[in-house]
Every structure is written in structure tokens, then in C-alpha cells.
Amino acid sequence: MDTIFQKEILIVEDSKLNAQIAADILERYGYKTEIVFSGEKAIEKIISNEKSPDLILMDIELSGKLDGIDAAKIIGKHKDIPIIFLTANANREIMEKIKSVSAYGYILKGVDESVIISQIEMAFNLYEARHEIKSREEMFHSMFENHDVAMILVDAESGHIVYANKAACEFCRYPKDIVQNMDIREVADFFGVDGYESCWEMLKRGCNPCVCIQNGVNGSEKIVNVYSTIIDYQDKKLIHLIVFDITEEWEIKRKLEFYSKLFEDSLNEIYIFDAETLKFIFVNRGARKNLGYSEEELKKMTPLDIKIEFTLQSFKEFLKPLLNGKQMQLNIETMHRRKDGSLYPVVIHIELMEYDGEKVFVAFVADLTEQRKIENDLMEKNEILNTITAYAGDAIIMIDGYGKVTFWNPAAERILGYSKDEILGKELHTFMILDEQLYSSYKKAIEKFRHSGEGSIVGKTVEMKTVHKKGHEIDVELSLSVVKINGSWHAIGIIRDISERKKFEELLYLRSVTDPLTGIYNRRFFMDILEKEVEMTKRNKKPFSLIMFDLDHFKNVNDYFGHAAGDMVLKRVVEIVKERIRKTDCFARWGGEEFIIFLPETSLNNASDIAEELRFKISTAKFDGVGNVTASFGATDFKENDNIDTVLLRLDNMLYEAKNNGRNCVCVG
């Protein structure tokens, strides 16, 4: 288990005795404390330090110019920290002062320490709840504001626009500050497509959707789908409008395809069948897969072919409440029969829908096979649990509130090296934690867990390193949950050995930064390195140089000898260069037969010498079956006013100058 960090409480109390008493109480309950003796000192500490305490315990009546209330107001302007006041009495005047700031309650001096701890814990819970609410409000506001669909909130009585998101402002072609001071009928005057009757009354009743013509500010017209929902907010009725521009035919097609795909790809089974003939009109992929029938086969079938308990007459009687309008939906648990004759349990929700005068039934079906299996599993949980844990590939362990192992499956023996006999009844972390300081922190954490069942990684999945019995470290993934057994908290950990996955991730990273043919760095990684080095050079003024070279007439090698020979030449050239350059140099394939070398702390003169040496080595090397190959080189250094673009452009120019000078030479600039 991870270390649980102590929460820190700042005690602001001008009585040293009272302050120390409060600190002793809090520290007994696992809190870290610090004491200051005036409001001024508290403000100075909060404002000047980047790390703030988790809570402030503030005496209202403090010596100095500021009392606790004034100090709390100043702190509140700078940082959001929960504050609980200490007071010797709770008269009306004191209560009014406390209400004037965003406090988290008060504690009467001299109360029992359990009351103090309870009030502090309540304050922490309230603070976390407020932050959660604020975070959710910000999330929903961001979702509304940044959605690419136009959304508008309108006062249902006056038609005044309360809020319009960015997409809505762009749709209306007005800036937000103007839109939110206008009437909806001024900004987007919606009229029905049949006779231009105003849609406003329909929108006020909730319209889903209302197909309208929207008159734009420049006289243009758009056909739009407007969805309206009535919302009660702060004793006011608002209309939430969602506006889709459906003018373009392709937009209509896109949306139809989207909804069709939504039905087709649903994990649940969806059936649409004719209200008169009962023949299937549409059966989605999930249903076809589960039943085993093809789409063509199902078009000739009815629900009676897959429902074993219905006759034609009984099924029509079952559907009658939908047809006569007595019910909007029918729900039933039944069995479906597959093509191979096997049965599976389902729950069905059937609705009647009408479109263009035609009535169809839509059935949403959930396969209950897994649910039934779970119910059966629960009936035999002890036997199944023992089987699962015995044969599970992941280590499953359980420890009690004292950190002692109470369960240890065979996978735990394989992954961690300890047998069940070695570990059961012993304290797990004496085996797994070798660092004394970390072990001390763990002991405090397990103490809290024993009383509350809480921990920093409870309910989470974390990656960590642990120690195998043989002494080597292994990478594991730990999922930790808690359960109460006979009134005591136990932690259940599932440990997965991810050592191979980590190695694979490292391999994937290596492949992402290297060229697959030559094994040297690729262009993207080289650019990342170059950006960092340019910034570093601007700070420390240390020089660097670049060399770029291109194999001369390399296309002829591929054309005459084949691409396999060309690949051989590229790899051999890379070997020649790697034998000469330093480990600190960065060598990359720039593209095709073009390469680039970064030379840190290297002058242009030295870079020129290296380029000439490499040119000579390549030109004199023998390439099996190909003969001689030459290369053209350009070299430059980073100058005071350079940036990445200018230095690379100059380097590229030097390379092309070498090519224009007859190739197989070095140009420096």
C-alpha cells in the first residue's frame, strides 16, 4: 500500500497553552500541525508560502491589529483554505461575524476532543464536496460552451436570451455580448416550413424537433432542426434550444448515417417490425450475431420465429395495449431461440412508433445470459471463488487491518516468490518494503486503514515496483479494494506482473524514435532533440554544429542493383558514420538517402573536418555488388540570431551547394 500523507492544520491562537493543547489533540489523530500566534503571522505564512495547510483552526479573538475574522477575510482573497473558528462563546454577535466569511463552522473552546476531530473531519468532507461541485459546474459549463452544436438558453416568458454558447453566436453571426442582450426572435427568427407560422409558441411548449426556417441577419434563410426543452432553474422557466443547420443535403445524410450506425452498432439487440404483418424491417448486428441468422433470413421472419412461448393470437393480444394507446411501452422477460435451436434469456422493451402514416414496433432487447450467469455464480460463490483464485494468472492476496496476510493464491507464489506457508499470518510489508522510512510511513497508514478502511490507493489501480523473494525488483500493477469481514477491515489486492509489458512499452518507444531500416534516430525525434538543444544553447552559449549529407545518384543504385542493394548501402553508410562520431552526437535519417548529424560543443571548423573525413571514408568504402558510393556534405553552426528554421535552411543550402559543385564534396557556411 502507498504512503498516506498527513493532512496539515495551521493553528492560529495567541494563547500558547491553548494552541499546544489543540496541537496535541490533532497530532494524536494523525494530523500534522503548525502554530502561529497572530492573524498577521497567519496571513504572512499563507501568502508567502507556495504550499498551504490543508485547514486553518483560527481563534476569533486574537491579539494584534487583526482578529480572526479579519484575518480569515484576507486569507480568503488569496487562497481557498477551509477555516474553522475557535471561540470561547457563541453569542449572536460572534455568530454574525462567522457568517460574514466563508467559514466551515466553529468549535467552542474546552469541548471534548472527539467533537473537535468530528468538526474537522466534517470540514474536510465539506471542502472536498464543494470542490467536487465546483469542478462539475466547470465541466458542464465547458461542455455547453465548447460544444460544436449551437445551444441557447432563453427565458420562457420574455424570450430574452440568458446564455448562448460559442457555436450559437457563430450561427447567429453576432458576438456573445450582443446576443445575450437580445430577444431570441431578434437573433434567430424561427418560422415553420409550412406557411411561415412562428415557431415560438411551439418552442415554449418543448419541441423535439421543430423543423424551422431561420432568417439570418443578412437576409439568408437556413432550414434548421430546433430541439427545445423546458428547464426549471432558480424559480424560472428556461427553454434550452439546440439548433442544427440541415440545409445541405450532405448534412442530412451524415446525421441519418450516424443514427443508423448508432442502432446498428448497439451492444443491445434492436428489432423493428411491421405493426400489421409483424415481419422484421430492421434487425441490428448485435441481434443477428446472437441469433445466428443472416439479414436476408430475418427479413422473411417475424418475432414469433424466435419467441418460443407465443402463438400468433397471443402475440397480437400482447401488443394490443400499444396499438390502442393504453400503454406507451411493454416490458417482458422471455426466451429467444437461436437458429441452432439454443435458447437464451432476454428482457424486451417494445414501443409503437409512427412515421409517414406507417406504424412499426421497435423492440430493444437486452441479453440476460450474463446476468443469469452472475446470479448462478453468486449462489455458488465459495466454490467458484476458490477455483478462480487458485487458477488466476494474477496474484490475489488479502491482508487484515494489521497488515497480516490472510489469503495468498498460487499466482502470488509464482509472481512474488513466497509460498503460502511462508507468508500466511505474517506482516506482508516486512517482506515487500526494505526502506525503513517508507516502512514507518506504511505503519501509520495501516493504522488509519484499520480504523476507517481508507487509504490513498483504495479503489484505484496503480503501477509500482516490489521486491521478489530472490531480491530483484519487478514491475507490478496493483488494484486495491476493501471489504469488512466480521466488523474488521480487510484489503484485497490483485497484483499483475507487468514486467514484460514494461519491456514491450520500452521497445515501442524505441521504435517510435528510430528509423526501422538503419536503426538510427528518425527525423521526428531529431527535431525534438534539436529544439531542446537550441533552447539550451541560447541559455549557456555553448556552440553546436550540424552536418547534413546526401548519397549521390542513389536512385541509380536502386534502379540498377535493386532496392535490397540500396538498403544494404544505406545501412553500411550508417555503420561508417557511427564508427567515427561520438556517443554524444545525434545521428538521424532525415529522409530517403539524406542524413543529419548534431555535434554538440563543436565548432564549425571541427564540423568541417569531420564532414570531410566522413566524405572520404564513404567514397573509399567498397559496397558489395555495387562498388563505390559518394556523398555530398553541407555543414554549418548555430549562430547568435539563429532559430531552428534559419539554421536548417542554411544547412540545406550548403548541401545543395555541394551538389551544384559537382557532388562528393563538403560545403561549409
Side-chain angles (χ1 to χ4, degrees):
M1 294 173 60
D2 282 350
T3 303
I4 298 178
F5 296 101
Q6 292 176 293
K7 289 184 176 177
E8 183 176 337
I9 297 178
L10 178 65
I11 301 171
V12 187
E13 166 66 79
D14 54 7
S15 168
K16 293 184 178 180
L17 177 61
N18 290 341
Q20 191 58 51
I21 291 173
D24 291 342
I25 293 172
L26 295 174
E27 289 173 2
R28 283 202 300 276
Y29 284 85
Y31 294 106
K32 184 179 178 181
T33 64
E34 187 172 352
I35 299 171
V36 296
F37 300 107
S38 69
E40 289 83 354
K41 287 291 185 182
I43 293 168
E44 178 184 350
K45 177 174 179 58
I46 296 299
I47 295 176
S48 61
N49 290 325
E50 183 177 343
K51 185 180 182 304
S52 302
D54 298 294
L55 182 139
I56 300 173
L57 199 58
M58 176 93 72
D59 188 8
I60 291 180
E61 297 178 355
L62 293 169
S63 59
K65 295 181 179 180
L66 298 175
D67 64 10
I69 300 296
D70 293 332
K73 289 178 179 178
I74 295 172
I75 291 171
K77 292 178 181 178
H78 292 83
K79 293 190 179 180
D80 181 18
I81 304 172
I83 299 175
I84 299 177
F85 289 110
L86 290 168
T87 180
N89 57 75
N91 57 39
R92 179 175 295 180
E93 180 182 354
I94 293 295
M95 292 300 100
E96 291 301 321
K97 284 186 176 182
I98 292 174
K99 290 178 182 178
S100 68
V101 294
S102 299
Y104 285 71
Y106 67 93
I107 298 173
L108 290 173
K109 293 182 178 181
V111 298
D112 188 77
E113 67 180 47
S114 62
V115 175
I116 296 174
I117 298 304
S118 175
Q119 187 70 20
I120 287 173
E121 290 179 352
M122 288 174 62
F124 276 126
N125 291 335
L126 177 58
Y127 178 74
E128 291 171 2
R130 286 180 176 176
H131 268 260
E132 178 69 17
I133 291 170
K134 181 179 179 182
S135 175
R136 290 185 181 181
E137 287 177 349
E138 291 173 351
M139 178 184 70
F140 286 120
H141 178 271
S142 177
M143 289 169 61
F144 184 91
E145 176 62 25
N146 297 320
H147 206 291
D148 57 3
V149 174
M151 291 190 280
I152 307 172
L153 288 176
V154 184
D155 188 294
E157 293 185 6
S158 66
H160 178 78
I161 295 175
V162 176
Y163 191 85
N165 72 350
K166 180 180 177 182
C169 295
E170 291 175 353
F171 177 81
C172 298
R173 298 186 182 179
Y174 279 111
K176 186 184 288 288
D177 58 343
I178 294 179
V179 171
Q180 293 182 175
N181 283 288
M182 299 180 72
D183 188 284
I184 184 64
R185 287 158 288 194
E186 296 177 286
V187 175
D189 205 358
F190 298 113
F191 291 91
V193 292
D194 50 350
Y196 286 85
E197 181 183 352
S198 175
C199 295
W200 174 240
E201 292 302 322
M202 295 180 65
L203 294 175
K204 287 180 8 179
R205 293 194 298 270
C207 181
N208 294 292
C210 183
V211 181
C212 308
I213 294 177
Q214 186 261 336
N215 290 332
V217 294
N218 58 358
S220 63
E221 292 182 345
K222 296 179 182 178
I223 299 176
V224 296
N225 262 348
V226 184
Y227 292 80
S228 65
T229 305
I230 309 300
I231 300 171
D232 289 318
Y233 180 70
Q234 294 183 349
D235 299 327
K236 293 180 68 175
K237 286 194 179 297
L238 301 179
I239 303 175
H240 179 210
L241 300 180
I242 303 177
V243 184
F244 291 95
D245 183 353
I246 58 171
T247 306
E248 299 296 333
E249 183 177 349
W250 67 266
E251 182 69 10
I252 298 173
K253 182 179 179 181
R254 187 185 69 83
K255 286 180 172 57
L256 288 175
E257 289 175 349
F258 169 75
Y259 289 116
S260 175
K261 182 175 175 58
L262 192 67
F263 272 71
E264 176 68 5
D265 294 342
S266 173
L267 295 177
N268 289 324
E269 300 176 15
I270 301 175
Y271 302 81
I272 300 176
F273 55 98
D274 189 272
E276 292 186 7
T277 66
L278 301 182
K279 283 191 175 181
F280 288 125
I281 300 170
F282 171 81
V283 180
N284 77 336
R285 184 186 293 116
R288 298 195 301 270
K289 182 178 179 181
N290 214 354
L291 292 171
Y293 290 105
S294 69
E295 191 171 358
E296 291 302 316
E297 288 175 317
L298 285 163
K299 285 181 179 179
K300 301 174 185 178
M301 299 168 60
T302 73
L304 295 173
D305 294 307
I306 61 174
K307 298 183 187 301
I308 61 174
E309 77 272 37
F310 282 111
T311 64
L312 177 61
Q313 183 61 33
S314 64
F315 191 56
K316 287 185 175 181
E317 286 295 321
F318 172 72
L319 297 174
K320 190 178 291 184
L322 293 178
L323 290 167
N324 59 28
K326 289 185 178 180
Q327 289 184 231
M328 299 298 293
Q329 185 183 80
L330 294 175
N331 304 308
I332 183 175
E333 287 194 18
T334 181
M335 302 292 289
H336 272 186
R337 178 168 48 203
R338 298 186 178 93
K339 184 177 181 178
D340 63 8
S342 61
L343 303 176
Y344 63 98
V346 294
V347 59
I348 307 175
H349 308 280
I350 304 178
E351 300 177 19
L352 179 66
M353 295 187 178
E354 186 171 349
Y355 180 74
D356 280 350
E358 294 187 12
K359 293 181 178 180
V360 296
F361 290 107
V362 180
F364 298 90
V365 179
D367 186 347
L368 298 179
T369 303
E370 288 301 316
Q371 182 176 326
R372 293 286 185 264
K373 183 177 181 301
I374 291 172
E375 291 172 356
N376 292 333
D377 288 347
L378 289 174
M379 294 172 59
E380 303 171 0
K381 61 182 180 180
N382 289 332
E383 179 181 348
I384 293 175
L385 179 61
N386 289 336
T387 302
I388 290 174
T389 55
Y391 293 98
D394 296 335
I396 303 174
I397 63 176
M398 182 185 294
I399 61 173
D400 62 17
Y402 296 93
K404 294 182 178 180
V405 179
T406 60
F407 184 84
W408 191 263
N409 76 332
E413 296 185 16
R414 174 176 54 80
I415 292 173
L416 299 172
Y418 296 96
S419 69
K420 184 189 294 186
D421 293 337
E422 288 179 291
I423 206 82
L424 283 182
K426 297 187 174 75
E427 193 177 342
L428 175 64
H429 291 71
T430 58
F431 293 83
M432 303 300 169
I433 300 179
L434 302 181
D435 183 90
E436 291 186 6
Q437 186 175 358
L438 188 60
Y439 180 74
S440 176
S441 299
Y442 158 73
K443 292 293 289 183
K444 294 178 181 177
I446 202 71
E447 181 71 20
K448 180 181 179 181
F449 171 76
R450 182 166 67 253
H451 292 97
S452 65
E454 297 177 354
S456 62
I457 62 170
V458 170
K460 300 178 183 177
T461 299
V462 297
E463 293 183 5
M464 59 188 297
K465 290 186 180 294
T466 189
V467 182
H468 190 274
K469 179 183 178 181
K470 293 182 179 179
H472 61 271
E473 286 188 341
I474 55 174
D475 290 297
V476 297
E477 183 180 79
L478 169 65
S479 300
L480 196 66
S481 58
V482 298
V483 64
K484 212 167 191 178
I485 302 176
N486 296 327
S488 299
W489 289 107
H490 287 64
I492 301 173
I494 298 177
I495 299 175
R496 175 170 295 172
D497 186 346
I498 59 172
S499 301
E500 290 302 317
R501 191 184 82 190
K502 285 294 185 182
K503 292 178 183 177
F504 183 65
E505 288 173 354
E506 291 176 7
L507 177 61
L508 287 180
Y509 171 74
L510 183 61
R511 289 182 177 178
S512 72
V513 301
T514 58
D515 172 54
L517 175 65
T518 61
I520 61 175
Y521 293 125
N522 58 26
R523 180 171 182 158
R524 184 180 65 181
F525 182 75
F526 184 88
M527 285 299 293
D528 290 340
I529 293 295
L530 186 58
E531 286 180 8
K532 294 174 184 175
E533 292 295 336
V534 166
E535 291 302 317
M536 188 178 298
T537 297
K538 289 179 178 179
R539 291 195 301 270
N540 59 27
K541 306 300 181 183
K542 292 184 179 179
F544 74 79
S545 296
L546 295 169
I547 296 174
M548 182 179 286
F549 67 92
D550 185 276
L551 299 184
D552 298 328
H553 304 297
F554 185 72
K555 184 176 183 299
N556 294 338
V557 175
N558 284 328
D559 290 344
Y560 296 145
F561 302 104
H563 287 279
D567 291 346
M568 178 274 293
V569 169
L570 292 174
K571 289 190 279 189
R572 179 71 183 102
V573 167
V574 167
E575 291 174 1
I576 292 170
V577 175
K578 287 172 67 176
E579 288 171 359
R580 170 60 184 85
I581 63 176
R582 303 166 299 181
K583 290 184 178 180
T584 55
D585 300 332
C586 182
F587 183 29
R589 187 177 181 186
W590 193 246
E593 64 273 21
E594 199 169 17
F595 298 87
I596 191 167
I597 308 171
F598 172 80
L599 303 166
E601 299 187 30
T602 303
S603 68
L604 184 54
N605 286 337
N606 289 338
S608 176
D609 292 341
I610 294 170
E612 179 59 37
E613 184 179 342
L614 292 175
R615 184 203 64 77
F616 177 78
K617 286 179 177 291
I618 293 172
S619 65
T620 56
K622 296 296 182 184
F623 295 86
D624 294 341
V626 174
N628 292 102
V629 173
T630 64
S632 299
F633 284 76
T636 189
D637 62 345
F638 188 81
K639 305 183 189 305
E640 185 175 354
N641 296 322
D642 266 337
N643 55 40
I644 289 179
D645 293 333
T646 58
V647 72
L648 287 176
L649 178 60
R650 189 166 62 253
L651 181 64
D652 197 52
N653 289 337
M654 291 301 101
L655 174 59
Y656 277 95
E657 186 176 326
K659 285 183 173 291
N660 291 333
N661 289 344
R663 294 185 169 84
N664 192 23
C665 64
V666 178
C667 283
V668 178

